[in-house]
Amino acid sequence: MNVDQPNDPLAERVGESRVIHEGHYLTFLIDTIERADGSRATREVAGHPGAVAVVAIDDEDRVLLVRQWRSSAGQALLEIPAGTLEYVDRSRGVVEEPGKAAPRELEEETGYRAGAWRLLGSFWTAPGFATELMHLYLATDLRPAHGETDRLGPDEDERLELERLPWREAVAAATDGRICDAKSIVGLLWLARIKGSGSA
């Protein structure tokens, strides 16, 4: 998602980019930038291929959530299903289409497939230091994938617990601090807006 405006006086041009560590998904860089006025500075950047997040609603108007341990937060968090886009060609920075990743992540993390999908929007998760652009989807007409021979399960390093909350309770949890994960708060407040407008 690029909304740069031509000749923006705030634009910064990357003159040099130095990789200091390349992990499985993240690439840590030190960028030397030059501003329009000729001044220079450095930026520490966590390069990320992007991700998807899914607000999944079942036939009883409950939101499917997953509880998992987050080492960075030092606690288990209740979140909407989500996952990182996979590289198609890492050397060229080509990643899979978000519309293909979202159904995979929903099934892996919840065991459900959706008959209807809607892209709600995309947002930068931490633009001060990371390049992660997250694509948010609404998934409805859910059906269990249990028993399917091609059922997708969680990644090897994931331990998840599935929880279901009535949508109003899920939205309340996002506003009272029980859900404190940013993508989940964004997704649930978006859901509240949709439900309020009657366009779910």
Side-chain angles (χ1 to χ4, degrees):
M1 185 170 69
N2 190 342
V3 292
D4 290 344
Q5 298 174 3
N7 303 316
D8 186 338
L10 294 178
E12 297 178 348
R13 185 183 65 81
V14 178
E16 179 188 357
S17 189
R18 181 168 54 93
V19 175
I20 56 175
H21 176 74
E22 191 166 340
H24 184 61
Y25 284 113
L26 293 176
T27 301
F28 297 95
L29 310 128
I30 302 290
D31 286 348
T32 301
I33 61 94
E34 184 176 318
R35 302 183 186 93
D37 65 4
S39 61
R40 292 174 174 263
T42 58
R43 301 281 183 254
E44 296 178 1
V45 177
H48 190 284
V52 292
V54 182
V55 179
I57 308 291
D58 68 14
D59 291 343
E60 297 177 44
D61 248 3
R62 298 175 301 178
V63 180
L64 272 58
L65 299 163
V66 290
R67 189 170 175 272
Q68 61 183 316
W69 185 264
R70 294 299 197 182
S71 294
S72 298
Q75 61 181 305
L77 299 180
L78 193 58
E79 309 174 19
I80 60 175
T84 301
L85 299 178
E86 294 181 357
Y87 281 104
V88 175
D89 183 344
R90 184 158 189 167
S91 66
R92 294 189 298 126
V94 180
V95 296
E96 68 181 323
E97 291 292 323
K100 293 181 180 178
R104 181 192 70 238
E105 292 298 334
L106 176 65
E107 185 172 341
E108 285 181 356
E109 297 200 351
T110 70
Y112 280 82
R113 294 176 180 173
W117 289 90
R118 175 178 163 192
L119 176 63
L120 298 177
S122 302
F123 58 93
W124 300 103
T125 58
F129 65 89
T131 64
E132 182 183 30
L133 181 63
M134 184 161 281
H135 309 277
L136 180 66
Y137 289 85
L138 177 67
T140 54
D141 187 21
L142 302 184
R143 62 191 184 282
H146 310 305
E148 301 286 342
T149 56
D150 59 346
R151 152 82 163 98
L152 300 174
D155 292 336
E156 186 61 35
D157 62 348
E158 287 183 315
R159 299 293 180 268
L160 307 170
E161 292 179 355
L162 177 62
E163 295 190 19
R164 298 171 180 84
L165 288 179
W167 77 266
R168 285 185 177 86
E169 185 179 341
V171 170
T175 59
D176 68 16
R178 284 177 287 156
I179 292 178
C180 52
D181 164 65
K183 68 180 177 296
S184 302
I185 293 170
V186 170
L188 291 169
L189 294 183
W190 210 309
L191 175 65
R193 178 175 165 269
I194 291 170
K195 289 288 193 180
S197 70
S199 63

